[in-house]
Amino acid sequence: MSQIFSDETHRNLLSRIPQCTGREVAEWLRTVDEGPAFFRFEEKVSWLRGEHQLAYGHAKAIIHEHDLRRAARKLL
């Protein structure tokens, strides 16, 4: 997983995603789940940016959150 922003910056970006994109974070996470099975972090970010015209910071925050949640599920 690529190094991302500070935890505070990450939370702030996530909180603004619904307002900026018109979609909730949970919807974006489902979109990533249903999207292509890219292996590398930056490939996923590039796909979100290109396919859904997201800003780089928002795409990166969504992929980072997706990876965090996937890792948490593996721990259960």
Side-chain angles (χ1 to χ4, degrees), residues 4-15 17 60-66 68:
I4 185 112
F5 317 103
S6 70
D7 288 340
E8 180 181 0
T9 300
H10 178 66
R11 284 190 307 275
N12 287 337
L13 276 168
L14 285 179
S15 71
I17 285 173
K60 196 169 179 177
I62 290 165
I63 298 301
H64 182 63
E65 185 67 18
H66 182 267
L68 287 173

Side-chain angles (χ1 to χ4, degrees), residues 24-36:
E24 294 296 323
V25 172
E27 293 177 61
W28 285 113
L29 297 175
R30 278 192 303 277
T31 298
V32 174
D33 280 336
E34 296 166 359

Side-chain angles (χ1 to χ4, degrees), residues 12-76:
N12 287 337
L13 276 168
L14 285 179
S15 71
R16 288 194 305 266
I17 285 173
Q19 177 185 359
C20 295
T21 68
R23 292 176 63 186
E24 294 296 323
V25 172
E27 293 177 61
W28 285 113
L29 297 175
R30 278 192 303 277
T31 298
V32 174
D33 280 336
E34 296 166 359
F38 292 116
F39 180 71
R40 295 185 52 214
F41 184 88
E42 287 299 328
E43 290 174 323
K44 296 174 194 176
V45 171
S46 293
W47 171 75
L48 267 184
R49 291 185 71 210
E51 187 73 20
H52 299 283
Q53 293 74 44
L54 289 178
Y56 179 73
H58 291 142
K60 196 169 179 177
I62 290 165
I63 298 301
H64 182 63
E65 185 67 18
H66 182 267
D67 288 351
L68 287 173
R69 291 183 186 197
R70 185 180 64 209
R73 285 191 303 258
K74 287 181 182 180
L75 293 176
L76 296 177

